Amino acid sequence: MEGEASVNKLHTQIEIKPQGQEPPPPYSSVVDNSEMDIQPEGKLPFFKSRYRQRASDTWLISLLVILHLVAFITTTLFNYFSTGSVFFQPLSENPLLGPSASTLDKVGALRKAFLVQNHLNWRFFVCPWLHAGIIHFAINISCMIFIGIHLERDYGPLRIGVIYLLSAFFGSLVCSLFVRNNPVVTSSGALFGLLGTMLSGLIRNWKVYSSKGAALAALMTVLATNFLLGLLPYIDNFANIGAFISGLLLGFVLLLTPQIRQMSKNKAGLFECGVKHSKSTIKLKQKLALDRPILRSISLILFVILLSGCLVALFLGIDINHYCGWCRLIDCIPYKRWSCNDGPNTCEIMKSNSEMTLTCLYNGNTRVFPFTNISQARINDLCAMIC
């Protein structure tokens, strides 16, 4: 009897634990994020690459890249059939390794004579899709993808598409007030519009984002690179400046709060090292819900005033270069490898059986070309190159 009692007593001290069940962690908290589907973080990384996003979130930027590619291929083919031999002109003629000036004129570049004398206003809508060369295309499209994908994922394709198109058109309008007698393209203007939009989104949601210094550094790097590129021929920097202002104002008008999606744990994104945590998602909801109607109204009024002013100045035929002699240095810096001269170029032409000699009457430069059967537009390109 005593042995059985001891055995029963021993059995009562044994605790049976089910297999496969782990004890809960000593400090755990459960947060219900069903309303916003986000993690309880107080600030968001500006470039939220660690958010779960679908491929369809960037259909707008993909479409814009395809349209720019089609326009660039079309320009290249025009140049090939115009010259009859090459797709791109040499760097001595086009430092961006692109088409000739006459080809840019044919496909829709802006030039003072086209706007004042011929009133070819359709070029305002074609010029923002043109690139001055393969170097310009590669840099511009790469930056547009980098900036555009982030903006489209954060704010949606509709608002970014509206800002992109309006900034591109506004940049062409500003270009028309400064354009001279050299052909220019304004495809970089739409990119500067996105840069202005990115800056406005960062300023508007300053307390929401983290790593703002890194985001500003990235923005300034892209902006400075493309502005310096605009100092070369055939790219208009005034369109870039105008589109940047347009994108900044429209960003304050249309960009309210970023679209928040569920974070993917165990993944780190760009500019994410400074994410700060708060006690709950309540403060984040309050920050995202903030709006600034006064700032939005003022920005909209300023944009309408600037747009109306540019349209009136265009219809009146105002040329700001008559009032600002140094403004041309913002658009093109003269260098020995290219020319920023927009004056009339006159050359003396001498032809033999297989060669053509051009002599610039402006500076006396002479050059011999191993062909004779070319168009007058192509002769003007070569005359402009040596003058």
Side-chain angles (χ1 to χ4, degrees), residues 160-355:
I160 298 304
V162 170
I163 293 175
Y164 185 92
L165 295 177
L166 288 178
S167 296
F169 178 70
F170 186 79
S172 297
L173 284 180
V174 176
C175 170
S176 67
L177 304 180
F178 293 88
V179 68
R180 296 179 292 165
N181 206 31
N182 292 329
V184 293
V185 297
T186 61
S187 56
S188 294
L191 170 63
F192 274 75
L194 294 181
L195 290 173
T197 304
M198 176 180 171
L199 180 59
S200 66
L202 181 61
I203 295 174
R204 189 180 184 91
N205 302 285
W206 185 262
K207 295 183 179 181
V208 175
Y209 287 123
S210 65
S211 302
K212 295 177 281 288
L216 284 174
L219 187 150
M220 296 305 299
T221 300
V222 175
L223 190 147
T225 300
N226 286 272
F227 186 84
L228 291 176
L229 192 68
L231 297 177
L232 299 178
Y234 307 126
I235 302 177
D236 192 85
N237 256 343
F238 293 106
N240 298 339
I241 297 173
F244 181 83
I245 297 174
S246 172
L248 181 67
L249 295 176
L250 290 174
F252 286 130
V253 174
L254 297 177
L255 303 188
L256 305 182
T257 55
Q259 297 176 351
I260 309 302
R261 296 176 177 87
Q262 184 178 2
M263 288 186 180
S264 176
K265 299 177 182 179
N266 304 325
K267 288 186 178 181
L270 188 62
F271 304 138
E272 199 169 358
C273 57
V275 177
K276 298 180 181 180
H277 299 267
S278 65
K279 297 180 180 179
S280 65
T281 58
I282 297 178
K283 293 183 179 180
L284 178 58
K285 292 179 183 179
Q286 294 174 348
K287 291 176 182 178
L288 295 179
L290 290 177
D291 191 14
R292 300 174 178 86
I294 298 179
L295 177 62
R296 189 195 306 177
S297 301
I298 294 176
S299 300
L300 179 59
I301 293 173
L302 288 177
F303 175 76
V304 172
I305 292 175
L306 291 176
L307 180 62
S308 303
C310 289
L311 289 174
V312 171
L314 175 64
F315 292 144
L316 295 178
I318 296 177
D319 186 2
I320 299 183
N321 291 305
H322 292 162
Y323 311 97
C324 180
W326 55 267
C327 288
R328 64 184 62 190
L329 298 178
I330 300 178
D331 186 41
C332 184
I333 297 295
Y335 186 59
K336 61 181 180 180
R337 295 186 178 274
W338 60 77
S339 174
C340 297
N341 180 30
D342 65 329
N345 298 311
T346 305
C347 291
E348 181 182 10
I349 306 174
M350 298 180 61
K351 293 183 179 180
S352 62
N353 294 331
S354 58
E355 293 181 342

Side-chain angles (χ1 to χ4, degrees), residues 69 87 92 106 124 128 141 209 213 223 229 306 309 315:
L69 181 60
F87 290 101
S92 58
K106 291 179 181 178
F124 286 111
I141 294 299
Y209 287 123
L223 190 147
L229 192 68
L306 291 176
F315 292 144

